[in-house]
Amino acid sequence: MRIKSLALALTAALGITVSTAAFAQETREFSVSTVLSEAFPWGQAAEKWAELVNERSEGRLTLKVYPNAQLVSGDQTREFSAMRSGLIDMAVASTINWSPQVPELNLFSLPFLMPDEAAIDAITQGEAGKKIFAAIDKKGVKPLAWGENGFRELSNSKHLIDSPEDVQGLKVRVVGSPLFLDTFSTLGANPTQMSWADAKPALTTGAIDGQENPLSVFDVARVDQVGQNYLTLWHYMADPLVFGVNKKVWKSLPQADRDLLQQAAVDAGAWEIEKSRRELTETLVAIKERGVEVTELTPEQHQAFVDATAEVYTKWTPRIGEQLVNEAQAAIANR
């Protein structure tokens, strides 16, 4: 009887071992959402992640990248909700697009909070960054790593801009974030929310006068070809990217695959950040060579914009979290 029990126990143990081994060798494909294609650093980050995961899993795990927000019919502000519900497995996403569902992400959209790249790193790589990741996780998406879409600069078809007064009355396309509306309204502009797919036709017809985007987007999308002849480097906000995974997908993976997926995201993010920053000078030269008039603000001119948008902090700091904003400001001051 004892021998029979031992045999049954051994069989059960062997069954578990075989099952686990089979599971470990299972081939799986996951969808990855991005807003921009691999022509842009943002899309390149997603493709690099997919490349590293495929290479390190020896083809067992495949990430299929869907650019242009096609998994949410072009409405990038729906990406987080779709991902949380399981319609999207993974994403390399903008903090702006996820901010309606994760209020803490509005931190990065506070006007003129981050003056340089070191300030971005001070937030993302410090305690504030950890708290933001915890907030994303609490909302149903597992954040893995940071990437970068860069500082957003202002262009228009009307005139040079080097003071808050120059922005007054301009019809400016902005992304679907209430904070962006408040910032531009405070400056006296007429902000209009629309997707990037709708923005270029609107710029072409003159329905809107200007737009704000990183230099890489201005360059690759050839925004200068739709009348955007004036570009101001005002660094009013930067947009980190987040590599994220649906929580159910994450929990379905064995620990070894979670580690692989996360390290690949960290490495892809670091690669993309370094590449996009390194290429900025070359990108700016190319833009100038196409006849765009580029304005770089003096410290005094920059401060005028800071002062003009101060009231936005009064409204948005309670929504983001006063402690988080204070921690971010302290991290920047001590960078």
Side-chain angles (χ1 to χ4, degrees):
M1 191 72 177
R2 183 180 177 187
I3 294 175
K4 184 176 180 181
S5 297
L6 287 172
L8 287 171
L10 180 60
T11 300
L14 287 173
I16 292 172
T17 302
V18 171
S19 175
T20 302
F23 181 77
Q25 296 303 314
E26 181 184 2
T27 300
R28 299 182 69 181
E29 179 178 293
F30 304 98
S31 60
V32 180
S33 175
T34 69
V35 171
L36 296 178
S37 72
E38 61 182 323
F40 304 84
W42 185 344
Q44 292 163 13
E47 292 292 346
K48 187 67 174 180
W49 189 22
E51 174 191 321
L52 292 177
V53 168
N54 182 69
E55 176 186 295
R56 295 174 185 180
S57 70
E58 298 181 336
R60 189 168 46 79
L61 302 178
T62 301
L63 307 189
K64 186 174 181 180
V65 180
Y66 293 85
N68 305 314
Q70 58 184 286
L71 296 179
V72 284
S73 303
D75 185 356
Q76 56 222 54
T77 60
R78 289 176 46 221
E79 184 180 66
F80 189 88
S81 297
M83 191 172 171
R84 182 171 53 191
S85 68
L87 295 176
I88 297 172
D89 297 323
M90 304 178 189
V92 178
S94 161
T95 57
I96 301 168
N97 293 334
W98 284 10
S99 63
Q101 290 80 32
V102 187
E104 291 84 353
L105 289 175
N106 284 294
L107 173 74
F108 298 105
S109 297
L110 284 173
F112 305 102
L113 171 68
M114 298 166 286
D116 51 34
E117 291 163 348
I120 303 173
D121 296 339
I123 295 176
T124 59
Q125 305 308 312
E127 289 303 313
K130 292 177 182 177
K131 288 185 176 181
I132 291 169
F133 266 21
I136 296 172
D137 187 89
K138 188 176 180 180
K139 291 291 186 177
V141 170
K142 174 67 178 178
L144 304 183
W146 296 100
E148 188 167 285
N149 196 28
F151 280 100
R152 299 178 78 92
E153 316 293 10
L154 179 63
S155 73
N156 81 101
S157 60
K158 298 295 185 181
H159 52 247
L160 178 152
I161 292 175
D162 62 14
S163 72
E165 291 73 26
D166 297 327
V167 182
Q168 292 179 9
L170 283 180
K171 294 174 288 184
V172 182
R173 175 266 176 181
V174 297
V175 295
S177 163
L179 201 162
F180 278 63
L181 287 175
D182 285 344
T183 296
F184 279 89
S185 295
T186 298
L187 288 170
N190 294 320
T192 302
Q193 290 183 347
M194 62 176 65
S195 69
W196 184 239
D198 294 330
K200 284 195 74 175
L203 290 168
T204 302
T205 62
I208 54 176
D209 303 317
Q211 60 87 48
E212 46 77 51
N213 255 309
L215 289 180
S216 60
V217 175
F218 187 99
D219 180 47
V220 177
R222 294 303 302 270
V223 183
D224 51 289
Q225 292 184 340
V226 290
Q228 298 297 284
N229 299 319
Y230 301 94
L231 176 65
T232 298
L233 307 183
W234 65 342
H235 274 39
Y236 89 111
M237 62 84 61
D239 180 24
L241 302 175
V242 178
F243 291 71
V245 183
N246 167 273
K247 290 288 282 289
K248 289 183 180 179
V249 169
W250 182 252
K251 291 176 181 178
S252 75
L253 294 168
Q255 188 60 50
D257 285 351
R258 293 183 191 178
D259 293 342
L260 186 155
L261 198 65
Q262 181 155 27
Q263 189 58 54
V266 169
D267 294 343
W271 172 86
E272 185 264 342
I273 290 171
E274 188 279 330
K275 181 177 184 290
S276 60
R277 291 180 181 180
R278 172 169 38 86
E279 293 175 347
L280 279 175
T281 300
E282 182 181 343
T283 299
L284 186 57
V285 169
I287 291 171
K288 289 179 177 178
E289 287 179 346
R290 296 202 294 268
V292 177
E293 185 171 348
V294 178
T295 300
E296 299 189 46
L297 302 179
T298 66
E300 293 75 20
Q301 290 170 334
H302 183 270
Q303 187 61 44
F305 281 102
V306 174
D307 295 341
T309 54
E311 65 183 68
V312 177
Y313 281 72
T314 302
K315 179 176 181 178
W316 280 90
T317 293
R319 300 184 184 186
I320 296 168
E322 186 171 354
Q323 184 178 356
L324 180 60
V325 173
N326 289 340
E327 285 185 359
Q329 291 173 325
I332 292 170
N334 296 324
R335 69 189 186 283

